[in-house]
Amino acid sequence: MDVRVSYLVGEQADCMLRGTPMHWLEAASEDFARFVAARRGVQIRWGVPSTVFWYVSGEYYLGTLVVRHQLTPELAETGGHIGYHVVAPWRRQGHATRMLAAGLEQCRGLGLDRVLVTCAIDNEPSRRVILANGGVPDGQQDGEDRFWISLGRGRHS
């Protein structure tokens, strides 16, 4: 609850920068406690069990990390196991690299031995984050660069 204002401001600014709709923020603005509660724990999203993590520093919301516990055929092409974003002005400070590393640890805890991470072809900062975390390029699909990251143990999904 401490990050309510910075969450709303950060996500609204990101929507404006990307030119994406903001209507989904209405629920957060109207009842933040309910909005947060609906995102806690493992939820079915994209057709698979998924966990959403918010990265915060004190009262400041920095960004979101999503770990998808398995892949659907669609996620195996684009989307992958892990998604993340850092809101302005917190970009270019290493947060995404640390967020992805934490996501890899979560995947390791789920027993995965490797994970798929994708990013838009023109998203060079995200590409660098993935490579810094051990990403091995695996071509492109539907406008996204694909990378596999080996976790070294567990099951493949």
Side-chain angles (χ1 to χ4, degrees):
M1 293 304 297
D2 294 343
V3 300
R4 180 184 184 278
V5 171
S6 66
Y7 178 87
L8 293 170
V9 169
E11 290 293 353
Q12 183 178 36
D14 266 18
C15 288
M16 291 172 62
L17 285 171
R18 290 189 310 253
T20 58
M22 290 185 241
H23 59 62
W24 64 274
L25 282 170
E26 291 173 15
S29 182
E30 291 170 7
D31 188 344
F32 195 67
R34 183 185 307 200
F35 181 82
V36 170
R39 282 150 181 77
R40 287 192 186 274
V42 177
Q43 304 285 325
I44 301 298
R45 296 176 157 213
W46 303 278
V48 297
S50 303
T51 307
V52 175
F53 299 92
W54 285 359
Y55 276 75
V56 301
S57 178
E59 65 190 44
Y60 298 103
Y61 165 78
L62 308 179
T64 296
L65 169 76
V66 177
V67 174
R68 292 178 277 272
H69 301 199
Q70 59 195 61
L71 299 177
T72 62
E74 296 81 14
L75 288 170
E77 299 221 359
T78 59
H81 288 97
I82 299 175
Y84 55 87
H85 80 277
V86 176
V87 296
W90 301 104
R91 294 182 183 147
R92 298 183 170 260
Q93 299 176 36
H95 298 300
T97 301
R98 288 187 294 278
M99 287 168 64
L100 179 54
L104 296 172
E105 284 303 312
Q106 291 294 322
C107 288
R108 189 173 282 114
L110 294 170
L112 300 176
D113 66 346
R114 68 182 194 146
V115 298
L116 176 65
V117 183
T118 68
C119 68
I121 291 169
D122 62 352
N123 189 342
E124 186 58 32
S126 191
R127 180 181 182 75
R128 286 193 306 267
V129 164
I130 297 167
L131 291 171
N133 275 282
V136 176
D138 185 35
Q140 298 175 342
Q141 182 76 32
D142 294 332
E144 292 188 4
D145 283 329
R146 298 164 43 86
F147 302 86
W148 285 97
I149 301 175
S150 176
L151 302 179
R153 63 179 174 84
R155 65 175 164 76
H156 174 68
S157 179

